[in-house]
Amino acid sequence: MTRIVAGTAGGRALKVPGTGTRPTSERVREALFSRLDHLGVVRGARVLDLYAGSGALGLEAASRGAAEVVAVEAAKAAAALCRSNAAQVGLADRVRVVATRVERYLDGGPPGSPFDLVLLDPPYDLGGLDEVLAALAAPGWLAPGAVVVVEQARRSGEPTWPEGLTPDGEKTYGDTTLWFATTTDLTR
C-alpha cells in the first residue's frame, strides 16, 4: 500500500493504477523529501510533477506545504486516479491534474509563474528525456534557484543536463537513482 509519508496528509493511503505505472517507494519518497525539505524548496513552492502516475510525488509535496502542484499524466485512468487521490487526502485545492503527454504540456509554452521544483518520474524505458529537460530549461519554466529531480533506474545513467541546469548530486536506493540539478541562470 502506498501512503503519504509526512505533512498534513501524512499516513493517508493512496490508490495506485493496477498497471502501467511504477510508484515511487515510500522509502525513496521519504529520502527525497527529507533532502528537499532541508534545502527549503518545498514549503510555498510551485511544483511540477511530470509523469505523475498516481500523484504520489506531487501529493507528498502538497502535504508538506507546497502552494501549488501541477501533475501531468498521459494515461487517462492514472490521471483520474491522481485527481481522486488528491480529493481523498484533502489536497485537491492545491493540486491540478493535466491529462496529457508531458511533451504536449511543455509545447504549450511556459506557465504564467515559473516552477520552484520539478519532479520527473518517467517510465524507465522512456526515450526523449533529453528533449523534456531542454524544454524545462527554456526561459519561463523555472524560477531562480529551482530544483529539478529525475528518478530513473540506476542502469540508465545520469540524464544529459541542458545548459541552464547544473547537476547537483545523486542518491541511489536499490535499483532507483534520484538525479538532482538546479538552475544556473538566476535571471530566469
Side-chain angles (χ1 to χ4, degrees), residues 16-23 53-54 73 75 77-79 81:
V16 297
T19 60
T21 64
R22 177 192 36 76
S54 67
E73 173 55 52
L81 189 59

Side-chain angles (χ1 to χ4, degrees), residues 5-91:
V5 176
T8 60
R12 303 284 305 268
L14 299 175
K15 294 178 183 169
V16 297
T19 60
T21 64
R22 177 192 36 76
T24 303
S25 74
E26 286 182 43
R27 175 178 169 236
V28 172
R29 275 187 290 118
E30 184 172 16
L32 167 62
F33 280 93
S34 176
R35 177 175 178 159
L36 295 174
D37 284 341
H38 176 74
L39 294 172
V41 296
V42 178
R43 185 161 301 283
R46 289 194 74 236
V47 178
L48 180 59
D49 182 3
L50 299 177
Y51 312 98
S54 67
L57 290 176
L59 293 170
E60 188 74 42
S63 179
R64 291 173 182 247
E68 177 185 3
V69 175
V70 176
V72 180
E73 173 55 52
K76 302 273 189 247
L81 189 59
C82 185
R83 274 190 203 93
S84 173
N85 280 335
Q88 185 68 30
V89 300
L91 297 169

